[in-house]
Amino acid sequence: MKIYTSHKQITIPVDLSLTQLLHNSTTPPLLPSHLITTDSLTNRSLTLHELRTIAGRLANGLSQTFKPRDQSRWAVVLPNSCDYVEIVHAILWTGGVVCPINYAIVPNEIAHGLTVTRPNFAIVYGGRISAFEEAITIAEERLRAQGVQWTPPKIISVIERCPKSYPHIPDDFASFKDTLKIPQYLDTRQRLATIHLSSGTTGAPKGVELTHYNFVSNVLQLEAHDSAQFHRGSSIIAYTPFSHIANTTIPFFFSPYMGIHHHAMPAYNLEAFAQLVDSVKPTIFQGVSSVVLSLANTDITERYDFSKAEKIDCGGPPLKKDAFNRLMSKAPWRINQVYGMTEGAGYIAYQRKHDVQPDTVVGPLLPNIEAALRTNAGKDDAPEGQPGELWLRGPNITHGYAFNPEANRSAFPIQGWYNTGDVCTITSTGVVSVVGRTKELIKYKDFQVSPLELEAHLNSHRLVGEGAVGSVWDEDLLTELPTATAIDSVIDLFLSSRLRVA
């Protein structure tokens, strides 16, 4: 097998946990007073010292109150906020596993997250307790049908109290003044930190098991790759849900280590976002396609102060030339190409600050990542310079999916190698370009949509005899759109329609 490697190799300790990483920082060390997180939900702020202290006290409270066994699974269902950051670190501090689930989705989708992760505890935004309880009922039925015995999680409410007498953060844990002792692990390579939902190569979302070692590796990989674009004056308005891997590694782990400030925005709205930009003066922007197009096509940057912008991290296809030129005229930012995935604990390839490269190129592999390009259903190497299906191996790559041996067999054709399903090219120096995907998933904006799920909905309609779902590319929205073709079973009428995904 021909293996491509990064231009740089680094040493990554196997005994460094994420709780220990929280108590370390890059050189020179950050001051305890360094601001790490602010939010629009509770109008709170967290310095590095406050994060370490509050997370440690909450970890002590959770440990003493619930006596969780080691590696207990904790669902976290709440909006982007300072509380979210504290809770994630508190759970990890207790030896637990964080299972993030988007708080804004419907009960049926929350239920899928529960069946995949099977949490023992759940920390839930008070305003979503009823939806979460409904999701538990659905999840219990689904797991019973699979022959799985699951005890529903103990619920803790957070931020908003709910009418029911669930323990509440922070009120019911305020009496714990001492921080929990920082745990020591000899080897963190098998110690789970999170189970993130991801569709992987195909099908419905699965639970990606990510270890402390995976995340610590990705933090140190990013720092070694190009620390210049992550200076301690960097700031980001984080509107992508913290439950998504694209907004996990950097705000929770890389940010306290490097000194990057995140302002947590619980729900996106263009006008509210621009007002925050005017106040926070972010240097880094999250490049969600729809948001980038809004920045290019509206006067929002003229009405608010975007003057501190340095870059927009983009992981999708390049803009059309006219849209690109409009965007570049709006603020002093540059487009920075990024490639990552849940199975890589976030990031795989990253354009460096001073790289000059075509729009279609992502950038170099991060340190310590190995890649292969395979063809003929994985049997052969792709010819030199030609595209192939990207397989990955490295310290940040997951070892598999939770409770899903079949998915593991499919995603890991050779032990240790993850098949991304993406078709890429790689230069001899490890620079990656993404040219397509073999996976069946439809990439709608930043969401992965399963055509099989849409077909199930389509075919359940009484007037549809048989339907199929594929995708078309929308140049204006810069995204794939699910497209359905159906045959009416009654009049044999051929129908074709686009399915808009909410």
Side-chain angles (χ1 to χ4, degrees):
M1 181 186 294
K2 180 174 176 54
I3 297 175
Y4 301 83
T5 58
S6 168
H7 72 291
K8 183 180 289 188
Q9 301 294 305
I10 61 174
T11 300
I12 301 171
V14 301
D15 60 348
L16 182 64
S17 72
L18 289 168
T19 304
Q20 290 169 311
L21 184 74
L22 177 64
H23 291 80
N24 287 276
S25 67
T26 189
T27 304
L30 295 170
L31 293 174
S33 59
H34 193 90
L35 187 64
I36 296 299
T37 311
T38 52
D39 77 28
S40 299
L41 184 67
T42 61
N43 298 313
R44 292 183 55 210
S45 63
L46 278 177
T47 65
L48 187 57
H49 171 74
E50 288 169 333
L51 173 56
R52 291 167 175 169
T53 302
I54 295 171
R57 289 174 176 171
L58 180 56
N60 190 21
L62 294 175
S63 183
Q64 291 197 41
T65 303
F66 298 108
K67 304 290 191 297
R69 54 182 174 76
D70 189 39
Q71 295 279 264
S72 289
R73 295 180 298 279
W74 298 70
V76 179
V77 189
L78 64 150
N80 294 3
S81 57
C82 290
D83 292 80
Y84 206 136
V85 180
E86 295 164 349
I87 286 165
V88 164
H89 280 285
I91 291 168
L92 295 171
W93 204 318
T94 68
V97 180
V98 179
C99 304
I101 299 175
N102 191 335
Y103 91 103
I105 57 180
V106 298
N108 186 58
E109 293 171 327
I110 294 174
H112 181 74
L114 296 177
T115 62
V116 168
T117 59
R118 305 175 194 177
N120 311 105
F121 301 91
I123 299 179
V124 184
Y125 182 52
R128 293 290 286 166
I129 291 287
S130 295
F132 190 79
E133 291 173 328
E134 183 180 344
I136 287 177
T137 301
I138 298 170
E140 283 186 287
E141 293 175 356
R142 291 178 182 173
L143 287 171
R144 271 198 303 270
Q146 298 173 25
V148 175
Q149 296 297 317
W150 173 62
T151 302
K154 297 177 181 177
I155 297 175
I156 304 102
S157 66
V158 64
I159 302 176
E160 287 187 8
R161 273 199 177 274
C162 65
K164 299 187 178 181
S165 58
Y166 292 123
H168 182 73
I169 296 173
D171 299 1
D172 294 330
F173 299 89
S175 62
F176 294 93
K177 302 300 183 183
D178 296 324
T179 60
L180 189 67
K181 181 181 178 181
I182 296 174
Q184 306 287 325
Y185 308 114
L186 293 178
D187 193 336
T188 62
R189 287 174 293 186
Q190 299 299 319
R191 173 155 286 273
L192 290 186
T194 74
I195 301 177
H196 266 78
L197 298 179
S198 170
S199 293
T201 305
T202 58
K206 295 174 279 293
V208 181
E209 295 186 327
L210 295 170
T211 66
H212 285 252
Y213 182 68
N214 292 149
F215 282 115
V216 168
S217 295
N218 213 223
V219 166
L220 300 182
Q221 286 168 319
L222 288 169
E223 179 189 26
H225 184 66
D226 188 21
S227 60
Q229 61 179 302
F230 302 111
H231 55 79
R232 60 190 64 199
S234 301
S235 60
I236 302 172
I237 295 175
Y239 57 82
T240 304
F242 280 162
S243 57
H244 195 290
I245 195 65
N247 218 8
T248 294
T249 306
I250 290 184
F252 291 112
F253 311 128
F254 194 58
S255 170
Y257 180 77
M258 294 294 291
I260 302 168
H261 167 227
H262 279 73
H263 183 90
M265 188 177 185
Y268 178 78
N269 169 277
L270 179 60
E271 194 72 21
F273 171 70
Q275 290 172 352
L276 285 171
V277 171
D278 200 75
S279 174
V280 175
K281 302 294 191 295
T283 60
I284 301 173
F285 288 75
Q286 297 175 328
V288 176
S289 297
S290 57
V291 177
V292 172
L293 287 170
S294 296
L295 296 174
N297 296 332
T298 69
D299 67 346
I300 203 78
T301 60
E302 298 165 19
R303 294 189 288 114
Y304 296 96
D305 184 4
F306 282 69
S307 64
K308 298 300 181 183
E310 295 177 4
K311 65 167 182 165
I312 303 176
D313 282 337
C314 288
L319 291 164
K320 290 189 294 185
K321 190 63 178 177
D322 58 341
F324 176 83
N325 290 337
R326 285 197 304 275
L327 180 66
M328 290 298 100
S329 70
K330 301 289 188 176
W333 45 40
R334 60 185 173 83
I335 296 294
N336 193 77
Q337 297 293 337
V338 178
Y339 174 66
M341 63 198 66
T342 310
E343 288 80 359
Y347 300 96
I348 301 298
Y350 215 106
Q351 182 177 347
R352 291 171 301 220
K353 183 175 183 178
H354 300 297
D355 286 343
V356 178
Q357 61 188 36
D359 292 341
T360 55
V361 174
V362 173
L365 291 167
L366 296 185
N368 296 41
I369 292 179
E370 296 177 307
L373 296 177
R374 307 294 285 172
T375 61
N376 298 328
K379 297 175 184 176
D380 302 313
D381 286 320
E384 188 78 28
Q386 296 300 306
E389 200 168 47
L390 181 66
W391 293 12
L392 295 171
R393 182 170 68 178
N396 57 313
I397 304 298
T398 180
H399 60 238
Y401 300 104
F403 311 112
N404 201 330
E406 182 179 344
N408 289 331
R409 285 191 292 271
S410 173
F412 297 88
I414 298 176
Q415 186 173 5
W417 284 94
Y418 171 64
N419 179 4
T420 67
D422 292 324
V423 179
C424 300
T425 61
I426 306 177
T427 68
S428 58
T429 56
V431 177
V432 177
S433 299
V434 181
V435 298
R437 289 202 308 282
T438 58
K439 62 180 70 173
E440 66 182 36
L441 293 172
I442 300 166
K443 188 77 171 184
Y444 175 77
K445 298 184 179 179
D446 282 336
F447 298 94
Q448 296 188 105
V449 179
S450 169
L452 294 177
E453 291 186 34
L454 294 183
E455 286 171 4
H457 286 293
L458 180 65
N459 292 329
S460 68
H461 195 282
R462 63 186 179 84
L463 295 180
V464 174
E466 184 176 3
V469 174
S471 67
V472 295
W473 177 252
D474 190 305
E475 191 65 40
D476 294 326
L477 295 177
L478 292 178
T479 187
E480 292 176 337
L481 287 177
T483 300
T485 299
I487 298 174
D488 187 312
S489 61
V490 178
I491 58 176
D492 200 30
L493 177 65
F494 185 81
L495 303 173
S496 180
S497 63
R498 282 185 175 184
L499 298 177
R500 297 285 176 170
V501 181

